[in-house]
Amino acid sequence: MQIFLIQLLNGVQLSMLVFLLAVGLTLIFGLMNILNLAHGAFFTMGAYFGLVVANKTGSFWLALLIGPLLPFVAGMLLQFFVLQPLAQRGRSTHLDLALLTFGLLFATAGAVEYIYGSAFHSIGTPDLLKGRVALLGIEFPLYRLFIIAVGIAIAAALVLVIDRTLVGATLRAGVDNREMVTALGININVLFALVFGFGSALAGFAGIVSAPIMSIYSNMGIGIVVTTFVVVVVGGLGNLKGSFYAALIVGVTDTLAQAYLPEAELFAIYAMLIAVMIFRPQGLFGAAGRVA
Amino acid sequence: MVVSFEGCTRIGLAVAIGIATLSNVTVYAQEKRAIKIGLMLPYKGVYALPTESIDRGFQLALEEFGNKANGHPVEIVRADDELTPNVGVQKFNKFVQSDKVDLVAGVVGSNVGIAISELADKNKMPMVFVNAFADEITGKFCSPYIARTSFSANAFEYASGKYWASKGIKTAVTMGPDYSAGRAFIGGFRRGFEDNGGKVIEELWTPFQKTKDYSAALTQAANSGAQIIYAFYAGAEAIQVVKQHADFGLRSKIPLIGDHWVYDEALWPALGDLALNAQHVATHYPGIQSEANEKFVKAYAARYKQTPDVSAELGYDNGKAIMLTLESLGGQMPEDRTKFISTMRDLTFDAPRGKIKFNAQNSALLEKVYVIEIVKGPDGTLQRKSLDEFPGAGDLPGCTKSF
Amino acid sequence: MLKVERLHTYYGESHILQGVDVCVATAQCVAVLGRNGAGKTTTLRSILGLTPARRGRVEFNGVDITRLPTHRIVKSGIAFVPEDRGIFPTVTVEEHLAIAYGASRRRPGRKPVEQVFEIFPRLAERRRSLGGQLSGGEQQMLAIGRALVAGPDLMILDEPSEGLAPVIIERLEAVLKDVKASGTAILLVEQNYHLATRLADYVYVLCQGRVEFAGATQSLIANGDVRRTYLSV
């Protein structure tokens, strides 16, 4: 039983990482209807930029703070100067965007490999979080508990912003009725660019947070794209709380499968995706179009 | 103008000589026709780093022969199989049909290897595997067109299992990626281990190329009560397993023993201190004291400015076996291509890892396996130290064809 | 203040507006009437840049706004109350008004949220309700209140009385009369002939994308032929 609880904890920790990735993507999709397959590229970008900062300053915390800035700017620029103009010219069906962003995903991996080679890199665990906590007979790494805390904190902060602030209200309005928001005098393009940048920054943040337990390498963004999409679809596109719960489901399922039924691990996740798409395509949580 | 008889004769002679010379020239050109080798490796993806080493070792072997076999230039055509069987099949077909290679070399993944072995047999195209350790490749899927210059999973891992059981390890938990090579290696270990008094308490499998977080498997392993975790992982997966194993404080509680891929040199920068004092089994390490190995290490270091790792050695053996075979065939691929493979089968040569000989199923045998500990050398850098060695085991039966 | 000249708008290859001219003077109320499909909504959407015109010109307060993006057109002093009211289901009443208030930072005449609640006490009672929880009439009040927040020079409304009970329509009429009295111009598309003629100073009648009648309200009331041909009243 104790081991089961530890495995649950492992699952929650994985969920938090997946959530950080999924939430940016779900906001982007919910608000702008953009199928951003390049989301993984921002994960990679953030990790590598964080690596640069960590190597230069020797500080994990600075890397965590500054690292996401690169994907933030890159995301904003991509949305404002590439995706938005394409949308306005009527060249942004889901297929167009999927192809374009998918191409970007691989282009980033290629560029990163060109600059850094195919070697593996790492950011060291910060000294503050190096220890372990004795938990139910297992020594659980402090850093993984940190990841859980960070995930929950960010989820809470996002809910607060979306539910309680004016910016959040404007975002909800944009998801509800994009046209009306422009008819209120708000430049929706700027709003979109900011949200895209922010979602990308979250992906980059996830890349840096995961670096001490995983490794940094050029293809890292490609592997996580599928899991992230499963979470986004299961949680409901554009639904923030939904993506949190869906991330929990996916992370815990994945982890428990790895522990108890490894042959089913892959199948379990995809089976869930297919079931949701057939029986409840708006996601398991909330009605279609809701941000929170 | 009247041409005299003598003039005709001279002209005729000149023309005859001209034709003879020309045809000699063409014959001469035909004699030195290039040999094309299709080299198929997973250049991108989780095994990108080991692949780079294999390619380098392979090139080094060819360069030793001046990139020629009996004066015939040898060319390499490369393809990326992306570690995916259907891509491997596509690329193999391209080698056969459009590139028109004389033989195919390489292939790391056993999953790709199994898919290709049938194709090689059907297309009568010699396939010389550099890795592809799954036992079935020279077992169930054996063919007069297939050879493997590395070794079978059973040869390596059965011997390893036997060794650790004999060293007082009574219980183990295995961890590995769930695909053909993973199953083959861990299976080999389990047989050797249990045949010699050990017990595998639990087998833990993780989805190949899809897993990044091994905490669940590691937690199960820690809880199992076994003495060691015996693992087979490579590339990015190996780094993650070793790191996360240390994260959970398991280094002192349940050591992670594996093979040379788990603790590959290429991963040492990312592993940092974690590589120190790790123990593993290896088919090769740079410190082997033999003429063949010292020559190899020196040449590799001069060419690539680094010490060769196991993958480089495997690539080297692959290239060398091919070149030696070509040379003994006069630098040409015979009409009956099974002759190429059977000639290779008869080779015996000193490779950096030891003597290489082939069994009746065209599978190279392992003369020795080394037990390695990673220590800090006198200059402060990490180095390998040999603790022990044992002979490799034989292959599993399964080949029903005779050739 | 609003001059629409020879507007041609297409939906794909469908030529919806075929040279529409409309004018709205300061503090004037202008109504656009016509049957379904006459192009009334399209005219409004073209003015606002939501369905941009292919040819023609729209001038507002002396500035050519024909090709400007919608948010810039709105910021120059036009507020829009669309046919479906444009209420956000997941946004509260309070937030609706606050968003509009924040978006009209540069408008001298913008009204604080509390002032709008005084005009619509019913909305004040429901200030924390979500847009999706309001009745049709409440949504219409909110849409108008939201438009008032921006202190616009011109308010454009598309069929505000649609789907409302007579009692609410009375309230609506009173509100719009106050709006006009306060100096804001109104451009109104309405199916409700009587409401339109009570409110408007000037009237346009559209049929199949063309202006078939333009004149003071009185002259429309007197012109039985036009009324019968294009409006069935």
Side-chain angles (χ1 to χ4, degrees):
Chain A
M1 182 53 189
Q2 285 177 324
I3 277 303
F4 182 74
L5 290 175
I6 293 289
Q7 296 293 28
L8 271 181
L9 205 59
N10 279 329
V12 171
Q13 177 258 301
L14 180 65
S15 303
M16 290 304 104
L17 276 178
V18 173
F19 167 69
L20 288 175
L21 279 164
V23 73
L25 193 58
T26 206
L27 283 178
I28 291 172
F29 197 99
L31 189 58
M32 290 169 265
N33 236 356
I34 293 178
L35 197 64
N36 181 25
L37 287 167
H39 201 60
F42 298 111
F43 177 68
T44 308
M45 216 184 277
Y48 272 91
F49 192 57
L51 178 71
V52 167
V53 174
N55 285 343
K56 266 231 152 63
T57 65
S59 163
F60 167 81
W61 302 105
L62 278 179
L64 199 58
L65 221 58
I66 301 178
L69 290 178
L70 179 64
F72 177 74
V73 171
M76 276 193 65
L77 293 178
L78 176 68
Q79 164 60 15
F80 204 78
F81 290 109
V82 178
L83 299 177
Q84 182 64 46
L86 280 178
Q88 273 165 341
R89 238 164 279 166
R91 298 285 288 127
S92 69
T93 61
H94 281 187
L95 184 62
D96 291 335
L97 287 173
L99 292 174
L100 174 65
T101 54
F102 199 57
L104 278 173
L105 179 64
F106 281 89
T108 312
V112 149
E113 180 152 337
Y114 182 75
I115 301 175
Y116 285 94
S118 38
F120 302 101
H121 304 273
S122 195
I123 300 181
T125 313
D127 291 327
L128 191 67
L129 298 169
K130 269 209 167 103
R132 281 178 279 276
V133 175
L135 222 60
L136 303 168
I138 290 281
E139 291 197 22
F140 204 80
L142 211 53
Y143 189 75
R144 286 174 181 254
L145 291 175
F146 168 69
I147 293 180
I148 296 178
V150 165
I152 294 179
I154 290 192
L158 284 174
V159 168
L160 227 82
V161 166
I162 291 194
D163 280 353
R164 302 280 174 88
T165 66
L166 201 57
V167 171
T170 314
L171 238 108
R172 276 179 276 132
V175 174
D176 284 345
N177 189 338
R178 197 190 314 189
E179 195 181 69
M180 190 63 218
V181 171
T182 62
L184 289 177
I186 295 173
N187 186 347
I188 203 116
N189 291 347
V190 171
L191 180 67
F192 284 177
L194 281 171
V195 171
F196 201 101
F198 184 68
S200 308
L202 275 176
F205 184 81
I208 302 170
V209 161
S210 69
I213 52 173
M214 300 176 189
S215 41
I216 299 180
Y217 56 102
S218 60
N219 278 353
M220 63 192 285
I222 299 176
I224 48 98
V225 170
V226 179
T227 315
T228 311
F229 264 93
V230 172
V231 170
V232 166
V233 171
V234 169
L237 297 155
N239 189 331
L240 184 120
K241 287 188 193 137
S243 67
F244 187 79
Y245 301 130
L248 277 175
I249 295 178
V250 169
V252 170
T253 306
D254 199 86
T255 305
L256 291 181
Q258 189 186 112
Y260 299 111
L261 207 65
E263 292 86 14
E265 187 171 343
L266 275 183
F267 174 71
I269 303 296
Y270 296 131
M272 200 189 324
L273 174 69
I274 293 171
V276 167
M277 279 169 66
I278 294 177
F279 296 114
R280 222 182 132 84
Q282 71 268 35
L284 291 179
F285 305 99
R290 285 191 56 97
V291 171
Chain B
M1 180 173 115
V2 172
V3 183
S4 67
F5 179 76
E6 275 182 37
C8 277
T9 321
R10 279 202 205 116
I11 293 171
L13 205 56
V15 168
I17 290 175
I19 294 176
T21 318
L22 272 170
S23 37
N24 264 336
V25 166
T26 4
V27 166
Y28 184 86
Q30 254 178 359
E31 274 196 281
K32 295 299 165 186
R33 175 187 157 292
I35 304 269
K36 260 189 176 179
I37 303 178
L39 182 59
M40 179 144 66
L41 293 170
Y43 287 95
K44 297 256 173 305
V46 294
Y47 286 178
L49 272 189
T51 298
E52 207 178 352
S53 297
I54 293 175
D55 193 292
R56 288 180 169 178
F58 191 86
Q59 276 190 78
L60 193 69
L62 264 59
E63 278 163 23
E64 226 174 77
F65 290 77
N67 287 308
K68 284 205 186 53
N70 292 96
H72 291 256
V74 177
E75 294 168 6
I76 306 177
V77 181
R78 288 178 171 80
D80 185 347
D81 63 25
E82 296 175 27
L83 215 51
T84 311
N86 61 296
V87 177
V89 165
Q90 271 175 42
K91 301 281 169 83
F92 188 88
N93 283 327
K94 181 170 172 288
F95 275 159
V96 171
Q97 285 149 18
S98 44
D99 298 312
K100 299 219 189 314
V101 301
D102 293 288
L103 66 116
V104 181
V107 181
V108 167
S110 294
N111 53 352
V112 178
I114 290 176
I116 290 206
S117 46
E118 207 186 350
L119 220 53
D121 193 72
K122 241 196 317 208
N123 284 289
K124 302 200 189 328
M125 173 63 74
M127 174 74 233
V128 184
F129 287 114
V130 70
N131 282 22
F133 310 105
D135 306 288
E136 310 92 271
I137 288 189
T138 48
K140 191 162 83 175
F141 300 108
C142 65
S143 153
Y145 292 95
I146 293 176
R148 175 175 53 207
T149 56
S150 48
F151 42 83
S152 72
N154 193 68
F156 187 21
E157 294 290 355
Y158 185 94
S160 176
K162 180 170 164 190
Y163 174 82
W164 293 106
S166 72
K167 284 284 161 196
I169 308 280
K170 293 267 165 280
T171 54
V173 144
T174 64
M175 265 182 73
D178 196 352
Y179 78 121
S180 39
R183 293 263 169 194
F185 274 72
I186 298 292
F189 170 82
R190 183 173 193 152
R191 278 190 300 275
F193 191 63
E194 293 192 330
D195 278 355
N196 289 280
K199 173 121 181 57
V200 170
I201 297 186
E202 204 178 337
E203 281 186 8
L204 297 165
W205 297 102
T206 55
F208 180 45
Q209 293 186 71
K210 297 276 184 299
T211 316
K212 289 203 170 354
D213 192 355
Y214 298 86
S215 55
L218 287 166
T219 304
Q220 289 299 105
N223 194 47
S224 65
Q227 282 169 277
I228 62 164
I229 302 178
Y230 190 83
F232 164 65
Y233 283 102
E237 304 203 311
I239 298 181
Q240 266 136 223
V241 173
V242 173
K243 265 181 129 188
Q244 292 171 15
H245 173 260
D247 282 343
F248 277 86
L250 298 178
R251 277 174 78 86
S252 45
K253 282 177 61 183
I254 175 170
L256 180 67
I257 310 246
D259 51 40
H260 44 231
W261 288 292
V262 176
Y263 292 104
D264 195 278
E265 255 111 349
L267 311 179
W268 289 358
L271 287 177
D273 290 331
L274 294 179
L276 193 59
N277 299 126
Q279 287 189 5
H280 65 87
V281 291
T283 54
H284 172 267
Y285 71 104
I288 295 178
Q289 290 175 322
S290 74
E291 195 190 316
N293 187 51
E294 282 162 28
K295 187 163 160 244
F296 166 67
V297 173
K298 209 156 144 212
Y300 192 90
R303 177 86 166 78
Y304 297 110
K305 313 272 175 285
Q306 31 169 240
T307 9
D309 55 13
V310 165
S311 301
E313 200 273 335
L314 288 169
Y316 178 83
D317 289 346
N318 195 245
K320 185 138 187 192
I322 290 175
M323 292 306 286
L324 286 173
T325 312
L326 283 174
E327 288 240 308
S328 70
L329 288 169
Q332 288 201 74
M333 177 62 62
E335 278 264 359
D336 176 8
R337 289 177 175 182
T338 61
K339 199 146 175 283
F340 178 84
I341 297 290
S342 59
T343 308
M344 185 179 285
R345 180 170 68 231
D346 292 334
L347 280 182
T348 304
F349 65 98
D350 285 318
R353 81 179 193 224
K355 216 181 256 319
I356 288 193
K357 277 211 296 236
F358 293 82
N359 68 10
Q361 287 78 41
N362 310 327
S363 169
L365 300 169
L366 263 186
E367 197 195 357
K368 282 189 248 198
V369 180
Y370 308 90
V371 182
I372 304 286
E373 185 179 334
I374 301 178
V375 296
K376 248 202 174 80
D379 57 355
T381 59
L382 291 177
Q383 281 175 17
R384 291 191 150 93
K385 188 173 105 177
S386 172
L387 297 177
D388 209 341
E389 46 181 72
F390 54 88
D395 280 4
L396 285 179
C399 178
T400 51
K401 300 196 196 127
S402 52
F403 40 78
Chain C
M1 63 165 52
L2 177 75
K3 254 199 282 221
V4 176
E5 288 166 347
R6 290 181 302 276
L7 213 58
H8 288 264
T9 303
Y10 292 71
Y11 279 137
E13 286 315 304
S14 261
H15 195 171
I16 304 294
L17 297 184
Q18 304 183 8
V20 170
D21 296 301
V22 170
C23 259
V24 181
T26 318
Q28 192 185 43
C29 179
V30 170
V32 175
L33 306 176
R35 293 209 184 86
N36 279 331
K40 310 187 297 294
T41 299
T42 310
T43 305
L44 298 188
R45 289 179 63 88
S46 289
I47 294 171
L48 286 158
L50 294 169
T51 307
R54 203 181 281 190
R55 287 197 304 282
R57 194 164 180 278
V58 182
E59 194 188 282
F60 183 67
N61 280 340
V63 176
D64 185 342
I65 62 170
T66 325
R67 302 255 163 265
L68 287 188
T70 304
H71 70 270
R72 294 264 295 277
I73 295 177
V74 166
K75 269 192 143 73
S76 65
I78 304 179
F80 182 42
V81 180
E83 192 176 357
D84 65 2
R85 296 168 200 141
I87 297 302
F88 308 117
T90 65
V91 175
T92 67
V93 168
E94 247 179 343
E95 288 173 328
H96 273 86
L97 301 176
I99 291 175
Y101 188 71
S104 42
R105 231 161 311 230
R106 298 240 187 87
R107 300 286 313 158
R110 71 171 177 164
K111 288 195 188 7
V113 172
E114 290 310 317
Q115 228 178 70
V116 173
F117 279 142
E118 277 168 36
I119 304 174
F120 300 106
R122 183 99 182 90
L123 288 182
E125 286 165 38
R126 308 272 271 148
R127 67 195 306 153
R128 294 253 157 76
S129 303
L130 293 175
Q133 296 169 320
L134 301 179
S135 70
E138 288 166 342
Q139 285 193 350
Q140 190 60 276
M141 294 298 125
L142 180 56
I144 295 179
R146 182 177 59 185
L148 288 177
V149 164
D153 293 330
L154 168 67
M155 194 184 296
I156 298 184
L157 299 105
D158 196 347
E159 309 219 16
S161 73
E162 186 182 358
L164 296 185
V167 163
I168 316 274
I169 296 181
E170 273 179 34
R171 181 90 184 89
L172 174 72
E173 193 177 332
V175 168
L176 289 179
K177 283 209 167 97
D178 283 340
V179 168
K180 182 173 158 214
S182 70
T184 308
I186 297 178
L187 175 60
L188 179 69
V189 158
E190 249 310 336
Q191 287 273 35
N192 185 331
Y193 170 80
H194 297 288
L195 175 65
T197 48
R198 282 199 301 272
L199 285 172
D201 306 310
Y202 202 85
V203 168
Y204 293 86
V205 178
L206 289 187
C207 181
Q208 297 195 332
R210 272 187 279 263
V211 176
E212 297 294 351
F213 176 91
T217 314
Q218 281 309 3
S219 51
L220 175 67
I221 295 176
N223 192 330
D225 287 325
V226 167
R227 287 188 355 251
R228 274 186 295 275
T229 315
Y230 300 111
L231 304 175
S232 316
V233 284

